[in-house]
Amino acid sequence: MSGHSTYEPKTGFERWLDVRLPIIRMTYDTALNFPTPKNLNYWWTFGGILALCLGIQIVTGVILAMHYVPQVDMAFNSVERIMRDVNYGWLIRYMHANGASMFFIAVYIHMFRGLYYGSYKAPREVLWILGCIIYLLMMATAFMGYVLPWGQMSFHGAVVITNLLGALPVVGNAITTWLWGGFAVDDPTLNRFFSLHYLLPFVIAGVVALHIWALHVPGNNNPTGVNVKSEADTVPFHPYYTVKDGFAISVFLLMFGVFVFWMPNALGHTDNYIPANPLVTPQHIVPEWYFLPFYAILRAVPNKLGGVLLMFGAIAVLFVLPWIDTSKVRSMRYRPTIRLYFFIFILTCLVLGFCGAHEPADKVIPGVTTFTLGDYDLNTMVWLSRIAALYYFAYFLVITPLVGLTETPLPVPDSISEPVLSHPASGPIGTAAASKKG
Amino acid sequence: MLRKGLTFAALGFALIAGPALADTTSLPVKDIHWSFQNPVFGKFDQAQLQRGYKVYREVCSACHSMNLMYFRNLGQPGGPFYDPKYPNPNDNPYVKSLAHDIMVSDIDSDTGDPIKRPATPADKFPAPFPNEAAAAASNGGKAPPDLSVMAKAREGGPAYIYSILTGFQDPPPGLTPMPGKFYNPYFPGDVTSNWTGPANKVPPGGFINMPPPLADGKVTFDDGTPSTVSNEARDVAAFLAWAAEPKQEERKTFGLGAMIYLLIFSGLLYASYRRIWRNVSH
Ligand code: HEM
């Protein structure tokens, strides 16, 4: 799909530039004329939405950094000063804070999309792995960003998470001391977190460039999972997908706006408006919502090191998924068995998030005491997270390979064009659209 | 099958959206209506903010600092004493005179000696205590927290502040507060160790180091509003809600415009999408 270019320089300047730095040709081939399957649904608009999210975070972040002071006695007040005295500072800061949540909503949908339509399978393994790297970098960036306002949750969250590394045998303590720049989370920690929080988004931008490069070699997957066979299966990216992505982006921004303008603190924690105080530990330390499933997995294991390893394992399995999946059929549209397990998997992730927001000993069904199994009553968050974590891993390590070997997939269409009659063209240009779509 | 998946997902969201971290040791905050509570259209009531400032100035400021507040804030757009005649709040004579009533510390530039002088709109609200240790020492070991962003720093916001201020009551029989502490069922805490009644009937709430600050008639409102504890508490809570987010009104006005714009823009994009895709079966 890549390689053959249809760009023809039109003006003298374009011809001159084309033999020196063919940047217009590259833009034309990758962003305008790129042949794209014509059956992509709205789940495919989240790539563009993610690119926008990254852009928003970088632009708002750079402006915030002009006013922010990375010093333990001044950080909290400098953030409040942005909200009070900087022109439209409230807008910049609320966009950046809620933007992180929007970024994660989009990336989770984007990843579930990839899982459902088998976009990680050959020849897109590298594309998938680059995506997983982006996801890891996003988590690191978001974690360090949350420390910067230096509220109670910032501080104690940083303490809890950095302490996890102390569980590593032999080198654990040395690593945490090195990370902190001292013997506790303090000024040096805040300073280096700020430095890294500024740096990592640009690393992400670099990996996104690779991600898109890796996308443009095999081209997009599509809801049928069937390879593009001919030009009839595709449309040029522009104007067909620029307009579709544009519409989706606009709707996404509407949702973003609801949070920024009308409930800017709904996704945050009230304790983070209390300046950090190392001597007072909040009653419940909870991370941001997008980390909750992993927090639940961490606390499901009674042993600290075990919890840390399992938590990282939950992300590590994503990297090897292309080689775990034994099915040759990409799209779950034609795989009814795995589809059911997949929906349970989504539910499991939500349940893990729910458990992560509660204390391990909290009851799932209030007021009911069953019997104690091991360390906790069976009707507790910790047991629910254990069951959910078990399913999480079983889905990847057992169900995915086994179902791929044993299932009988539904018949897969020969080409993309074959099943597309659900949205037929409404007529040649110029004729009035006769039939409305169903 | 997709529908089944969506049902699962909806169920999952319902679980997550359920009550998180229920705190059983205090009463839920009182249900009270605010002029600014509507997330889209709510606006502050300027007269209420003025009364609230008076309560803060005459009562709370004896113990609580508001380190993020400057006198000029009182006269900025949306503030309690904003007057469109003075777009620059530093020129607002009313704000100037409010500031002038308060003495702040400074250094005499001729002698270098510490002095006191009347505040100007550019000055910060002065803090009642020189440092946290002094604040704690005068209040039974617990420093009164800064109130600048208090309304954002507690679950329930202004309603919580209102509940605390109006929630002081005599401890039920069987409950003996520690000396210098006051029973308040809205203050999160655990009073089990001071409770001699039945173990399954421990009263909700906790002991707070703040003595009940308000009383009927404590503050005289210039606009004739009766100065009941409830009115005083409601007005000071509204003032603190404004102080915690002075740009709240600007956010809502700007937001409404932006959202209407985005809605129209989305409609146009959808129409373009339908038109461009009209001739492609997909
Ligand atoms: C900053 C974060 C990211 C950005 C900006 C981004 C951007 C994009 C864009 C623009 C596309 C093409 C359009 C589309 O298919 O939606 C794409 C495709 C893809 N992305 Fe990402 N992505 C990000 C993160 C991720 C992550 C975390 C994963 C998975 C772990 C991932 C996996 C994929 C896959 C598998 C495709 C190919 C989709 C297909 O054509 O079927 N991406 N990405």
Side-chain angles (χ1 to χ4, degrees):
Chain A
M1 301 196 72
S2 57
H4 135 98
S5 173
T6 55
Y7 167 70
E8 277 175 32
K10 284 185 196 68
T11 62
F13 172 72
E14 282 178 65
R15 274 191 296 276
W16 180 86
L17 191 64
D18 198 47
V19 290
R20 289 165 175 82
L21 178 71
I23 188 167
I24 304 183
R25 175 180 299 275
M26 192 183 83
T27 314
Y28 180 82
D29 291 344
T30 57
L32 296 179
N33 197 40
F34 189 70
T36 311
K38 61 185 180 182
N39 61 336
L40 300 187
N41 55 30
Y42 281 108
W43 301 117
W44 260 262
T45 60
F46 282 89
I49 289 172
L50 282 164
L52 177 82
C53 286
L54 183 61
I56 289 178
Q57 292 308 96
I58 289 181
V59 170
T60 54
V62 167
I63 300 173
L64 287 175
M66 295 173 186
H67 305 279
Y68 171 78
V69 186
Q71 201 275 338
V72 288
D73 296 319
M74 294 154 90
F76 185 92
N77 285 357
S78 73
V79 172
E80 271 302 321
R81 196 181 159 80
I82 293 170
M83 303 271 288
R84 289 156 181 271
D85 286 339
V86 174
N87 289 332
Y88 292 101
W90 57 268
L91 179 62
I92 308 277
R93 193 224 165 190
Y94 279 152
M95 276 178 74
H96 196 78
N98 289 287
S101 284
M102 299 301 122
F103 206 157
F104 276 95
I105 291 177
V107 86
Y108 283 134
I109 295 178
H110 191 67
M111 292 168 77
F112 281 125
R113 186 282 315 262
L115 290 174
Y116 185 84
Y117 293 110
S119 300
Y120 52 86
K121 294 186 197 187
R124 295 187 182 82
E125 301 95 322
V126 172
L127 171 60
W128 173 256
I129 289 175
L130 288 167
C132 294
I133 292 173
I134 293 171
Y135 176 54
L136 272 180
L137 288 170
M138 275 173 65
M139 292 206 284
T141 310
F143 163 66
M144 288 190 276
Y146 193 60
V147 177
L148 301 185
W150 209 244
Q152 275 290 68
M153 273 305 155
S154 302
F155 178 84
H156 292 278
V159 171
V160 170
I161 302 299
T162 49
N163 265 322
L164 292 178
L165 297 170
L168 296 174
V170 190
V171 289
N173 281 332
I175 289 186
T176 36
T177 308
W178 176 74
L179 212 67
W180 289 336
F183 297 102
V185 174
D186 207 338
D187 212 36
T189 328
L190 178 60
N191 256 292
R192 61 192 54 194
F193 277 18
F194 177 50
S195 170
L196 292 173
H197 183 71
Y198 206 135
L199 171 71
L200 285 188
F202 296 92
V203 178
I204 295 180
V207 185
V208 169
L210 295 179
H211 188 73
I212 292 171
W213 185 8
L215 168 73
H216 282 191
V217 177
N220 288 83
N221 184 25
N222 67 80
T224 63
V226 177
N227 286 341
V228 168
K229 299 270 157 61
S230 71
E231 195 136 347
D233 290 344
T234 66
V235 289
F237 190 79
H238 180 73
Y240 292 96
Y241 283 107
T242 39
V243 74
K244 189 168 184 171
D245 283 356
F247 168 61
I249 284 175
S250 192
V251 172
F252 185 80
L253 285 177
L254 272 170
M255 182 198 60
F256 193 170
V258 167
F259 282 99
V260 168
F261 298 125
W262 296 336
M263 40 200 297
N265 293 309
L267 296 169
H269 197 293
T270 46
D271 276 13
N272 228 27
Y273 279 111
I274 305 173
N277 182 349
L279 302 178
V280 179
T281 310
Q283 215 186 352
H284 306 287
I285 300 175
V286 275
E288 295 280 86
W289 69 265
Y290 36 81
F291 293 132
L292 290 176
F294 299 102
Y295 198 49
I297 293 179
L298 171 77
R299 296 192 299 181
V301 187
N303 170 290
K304 191 166 157 191
L305 178 60
V308 174
L309 292 179
L310 208 65
M311 183 174 75
F312 284 113
I315 297 166
V317 292
L318 293 175
F319 280 81
V320 289
L321 179 63
W323 295 275
I324 298 178
D325 192 338
T326 50
S327 166
K328 290 279 170 286
V329 179
R330 286 202 191 98
S331 173
M332 288 194 195
R333 253 190 203 176
Y334 310 107
R335 305 181 59 202
T337 318
I338 195 76
R339 188 162 54 189
L340 181 61
Y341 287 113
F342 177 73
F343 287 139
I344 300 175
F345 172 74
I346 296 183
L347 182 68
T348 304
C349 294
L350 294 172
V351 166
L352 281 170
F354 169 73
C355 294
H358 291 78
E359 292 298 293
D362 284 358
K363 293 271 193 283
V364 180
I365 308 163
V368 179
T369 304
T370 55
F371 57 94
T372 308
L373 187 64
D375 45 0
Y376 282 97
D377 188 273
L378 200 59
N379 177 28
T380 50
M381 291 296 165
V382 75
W383 270 110
L384 186 60
S385 5
R386 283 171 189 168
I387 297 164
L390 192 69
Y391 185 82
Y392 182 100
F393 284 98
Y395 175 76
F396 288 115
L397 300 176
V398 182
I399 298 172
T400 297
L402 280 190
V403 171
L405 293 175
T406 55
E407 76 186 338
T408 325
L410 301 176
V412 176
D414 288 331
S415 78
I416 291 176
S417 297
E418 195 187 289
V420 298
L421 295 169
S422 63
H423 284 75
S426 36
I429 303 173
T431 54
S435 63
K436 278 260 168 256
K437 290 180 191 177
Chain B
M1 189 51 90
L2 188 64
R3 192 167 319 135
K4 202 182 261 169
L6 289 178
T7 320
F8 276 138
L11 210 112
F13 275 121
L15 279 177
I16 289 196
L21 305 177
D23 203 336
T24 48
T25 61
S26 62
L27 293 183
V29 299
K30 296 184 185 176
D31 188 18
I32 158 162
H33 176 82
W34 306 99
S35 65
F36 51 88
Q37 79 187 19
N38 184 301
V40 184
F41 301 106
K43 293 260 188 289
F44 290 110
D45 167 356
Q46 200 181 26
Q48 182 175 47
L49 296 186
Q50 297 183 354
R51 294 193 300 271
Y53 173 69
K54 193 161 192 204
V55 179
Y56 169 73
R57 181 52 62 207
E58 292 181 9
V59 184
C60 322
S61 70
C63 299
H64 290 279
S65 61
M66 287 187 85
N67 287 334
L68 297 170
M69 289 292 291
Y70 294 79
F71 288 99
R72 63 175 160 80
N73 293 136
L74 298 172
Q76 74 189 24
F81 300 98
Y82 173 63
D83 182 342
K85 268 201 302 229
Y86 303 100
N88 179 350
N90 295 302
D91 301 334
N92 183 320
Y94 202 79
V95 172
K96 279 186 182 168
S97 83
L98 285 173
H100 198 83
D101 290 345
I102 311 295
M103 299 300 276
V104 292
S105 311
D106 204 347
I107 300 290
D108 186 319
S109 53
D110 292 330
T111 65
D113 293 332
I115 52 162
K116 291 269 184 197
R117 61 160 173 84
T120 68
D123 281 307
K124 265 187 186 182
F125 285 14
F129 297 101
N131 53 56
E132 175 137 2
S138 317
N139 285 284
K142 266 206 170 170
D146 188 87
L147 292 184
S148 313
V149 288
M150 181 56 78
K152 287 195 292 192
R154 294 289 183 279
E155 215 58 67
Y160 169 78
I161 297 173
Y162 173 84
S163 306
I164 287 282
L165 293 175
T166 56
F168 288 95
Q169 51 179 255
D170 291 334
L175 187 66
T176 354
M178 290 164 271
K181 289 184 185 281
F182 305 85
Y183 173 64
N184 193 318
Y186 296 91
F187 187 63
D190 185 2
V191 297
T192 319
S193 50
N194 297 57
W195 174 242
T196 52
N200 60 349
K201 289 222 169 65
V202 183
F207 298 122
I208 185 167
N209 277 36
M210 168 165 71
L214 299 174
D216 289 341
K218 187 120 180 183
V219 178
T220 312
F221 291 129
D222 308 324
D223 61 4
T225 305
S227 47
T228 57
V229 169
S230 172
N231 281 346
E232 290 165 359
R234 187 193 301 252
D235 293 347
V236 77
F239 170 74
L240 293 177
W242 168 78
E245 222 194 328
K247 298 292 172 70
Q248 185 181 137
E249 281 185 6
E250 183 183 336
R251 160 162 69 74
K252 289 175 180 171
T253 324
F254 182 97
L256 191 62
M259 294 297 273
I260 291 173
Y261 172 85
L262 275 175
L263 203 64
I264 296 171
F265 192 51
S266 302
L268 287 175
L269 280 170
Y270 186 68
S272 322
Y273 161 67
R274 290 295 294 261
R275 193 176 164 80
I276 287 172
W277 279 80
R278 190 163 55 153
N279 300 313
V280 183
S281 30
H282 62 284

